[in-house]
Amino acid sequence: MVRQPLRVTRRSLADLLLAAGLAGLAGTVLYPLVRYLIPPKVKEVTAGSIVAAKVGDLPPNSGKILLFGGKPAILVHTSQGTYKAFTAVCTHLACTVQYRPDFGHIWCACHDGHFDLNGQVIGGPPPRPLAEFTVTVKGTEIVVTRPA
Amino acid sequence: MGIGAWLEDRLRWRAADAFLRHKTVPVTRHGYVYYFGGITLFLFLVQVVTGLLLLMYYRPTADAAHESVRFIMARVQFGWLVRSVHSWTANLMVFWAFAHMFGAFFVRAYRRPREMTWISGALLLFITLAFGFTGYLLPWNTLAYFATKVGTEIVGAVPLIGHPLLVLLRGGEDVTEATLSRFFGIHVAILPALTTMVLGLHLFLVQLHGMSRPDARGPARSMAFVPAFVLREAMVWLLITGVLVTLAVLLPWPVGEKADPLASAPAGIRPEWYFVFMFHTLKLIPSHVLGLEGEQLGVIAFMLAAAVVLAVPLLVRDDGAGRASRVAAAVGAFGALYMIGMTILGYLRP
Amino acid sequence: MPDRARWCVITAVAGLLWFFSTGLAAAAPAPQTVPEPPSDGCITCHRNLGGRLAAPALKIADDIHVRRGFTCTACHGGDAKAPGMEAMDPKRGFVGRPKPADLPAVCGKCHSSPEIMRRFNPRIPTDEVARFQTSVHGQKLSAGDQRVATCTSCHGVHPILAVTDSRSPVFPSSVPATCARCHADAAYMKPYGIPITQYAEYKTSVHGEALLGRGSKQAPACNDCHGNHGAVPPGVDSVANVCAQCHGSQRDLFTRSPHRAAFESMGLPQCTACHGNHQISRPSDEMVGTSPPAVCAQCHQADSKGGVAAKVIRTALEDLKQSTAAAGDLVARAENAGMDMSDAKLPLSDARTQLILARNLAHGLSLREVQSATSEGVGLSRKAADLGRAGLAEIEFRRRGLVAALVVIAVLSLGLYLKTRTTPGP
């Protein structure tokens, strides 16, 4: 069968572009889709609670800073063996507080603010207590929960 | 036996093939309106796919909803793309559903025997709006929370059954986690089920009756559905895809601040743009008209308008250029201008 | 009418009124709305006298002492049971209105007695009068100056309200205005030759703004620095201890700094040498440096050892401030572009913590301490900045992906377009 060369070129070009385009489209759709379905490595964080540590991670009379709801929080393992958690944002100038094993309570380095293990101010310039979170031990996980 | 014959024996697909080969689409001065329905359908399919993907990570509780959307946007690979495409498609879909309806209206595609096609289409438009209204709340952000509060309050103004309806919709007296659960259920189960049924009927009727031709005058030109129309429609769909991806990348849909039911409403609470014309109308009606509350009057008016839209094929029954058709065209034009005007006013004067 | 006759009439009328009122009170219980004073001859009579003589009886029911069961005679002596003028017979212990000089003794009858006071409030101190004697007010009073403040000048009288009562003139937020009644009065202060600007200065200070503006009861009023009963300006060497009631870490840093000995030898007051006293404004980094408004420049030449140290501290603070601000800016830009930057929040807030810490460490004048805090802060802010840059890079990646997708769409569209040309059209 004899055809005009131009016509043949145009039709085959169209087919070529279509095939390439469809393959490309399949790729551009499938690639993000498959990547989307792969579960992310980071565990999902809800506002209400966070797994702060595993039992045994934190020796008694020590503390740990973690990010909870976009702000630093502090988990304290008291020398009595109980767990306590508070916001770690000092009520004075918003520095991050820390646990001082030698004092046995929470301390802000910036201006020597002291908070007891109920979050109450026991010394220094902080005007208000630290807000407390609820801590529950579920199996091997220590879960910090924002009170409702 | 070849595969084709084997399948033919079981699926009778050659009948469908033959049907499609004979299907034609009219070529007229306003031929572009024939693409609107297809665009809306395409956007709906995008919503089904992206919606199913979002369901993998979304969690419908007051505690986790906002965080899970944030998680999708930040942590899930390409989650930002899926969610932004879903949000943008929702907006485009509402726009094209309206465009499809006005297009069909002005070419009088609702005439006999396509009355049921029109009615099912109008129902699909309302379902689309309900999709938009319920989906808006799901990220549980401040704006959506208060927009839902105001929106459901308007439902409360429906005469007689308003308050029970409001309680039913909110799952209580106030917008709470119960509302979120309900809206989620409505958005991902009830409305999709309804859409499947009504859309099935709508598409079936379109195939049954073929494409409507605006009027009998002039030469009846047409193009084959396969491949000419399908190729053109595919190009339009591709173009829309490009627009969607561009919007999603350059203007990712914001997550907003987490809703705080105890906070006072922020200034400038406004519903999604496709409800603004109703919202602004309700604002403009005086608080008391003819012994009725203004809001009630507005709600009654919009319910009547919805009923009129549904009943268009029953109200306008003359074939061709009769007086009823001219009145209908004028009313339709007024309706379109009213919606556009009120939307603009609503944005100019918040 | 001679005086004697007038007193007779007054006494008779008062006696009758007392008779009737007690009779009525017995017949019908008093309404519950206002706490009625105990039925006491003094109050009954004085209420009906009008003017100056009635004033003490009108609001006496609010008086903390009356509420605890005391009557007028507790301070004024006399016999409340006697129906007539004989109630105020000096023979019955009546002292009338105590002179200012006698007030400490009158109040001290109970307030200096631990035995009496613990029956009413076991925590209340009983050294007020002793402290008052050590105050400038008390010493001038002993020297015969009747114009100085005594107990009732500050606590009010008829009624004397509890300090915890917000209507009391010595309720924490009312103290500054109470002191200012005399201390801001130019005419009244003239004989003493002391400044009268303290109140106006205090009102604009951080402390005044906190106490009077924001109602923060933690903020100090006059008495928190000067003492209340023992009011004396703090001595040059005790200023730091006064401020340390709240600003303890600064005192500790200051006392181990070379400034302590230097200030002592120069007779400079401690904290207030740099921060001022009544008009203490919010400190800023501009206070450190070698040219005004830097306070270091008051004593140190720019090229001296102290001037160089000031410059080093200022540079360290500015470096950290700048790098924290730059990191915050990067993170905010990435956030505004739609990226989730919560990972950068912790290092960023830690960097800001280091800045606040370094500013405080400047009180100790140890360059090593300040620089170790600022360099740690700079490291943290770099970490945050890296995360911000990664966020912005991700946006760049998305845009490239968009271009790729649009190219694919364009190719496919072109293919479709060519296809429509090669297939039968309308």
Side-chain angles (χ1 to χ4, degrees), chain B residues 20 124 134 161 179 227 312 348:
Chain B
L20 285 178
L124 284 171
T134 51
I161 54 161
T179 320
V312 159
L348 288 184

Side-chain angles (χ1 to χ4, degrees), chain A residues 15 67 93 96 109-112, chain C residues 249-250 350 353 356 360 419:
Chain A
D15 286 342
L67 197 66
L93 290 177
T96 305
C110 288
H111 296 98
D112 198 28
Chain C
S249 67
Q250 287 87 339
D350 282 347
T353 296
I356 291 169
N360 191 21
K419 198 81 183 165

Side-chain angles (χ1 to χ4, degrees), chain A residues 31-32 35-40 42 44-48, chain B residues 53-54 57 59 63 67-68 71 75-79 82:
Chain A
Y31 175 71
R35 295 282 297 270
Y36 178 88
L37 291 175
I38 297 169
V42 211
E44 187 168 348
V45 176
T46 66
Chain B
L53 289 174
L54 289 175
Y57 296 103
R59 297 199 287 176
D63 214 24
E67 284 70 24
S68 65
F71 183 74
R75 295 274 175 270
V76 181
Q77 301 186 68
F78 290 100
V82 173

Side-chain angles (χ1 to χ4, degrees), chain C residues 361-377:
Chain C
L361 288 173
H363 291 102
L365 299 180
S366 158
L367 301 187
R368 197 179 46 77
E369 277 179 5
V370 173
Q371 281 173 326
S372 104
T374 53
S375 64
E376 192 180 336

Side-chain angles (χ1 to χ4, degrees), chain C residues 197-210:
Chain C
T197 53
Q198 302 94 328
Y199 181 51
E201 287 170 0
Y202 171 79
K203 275 199 288 190
T204 63
S205 73
V206 271
H207 297 134
E209 197 262 326

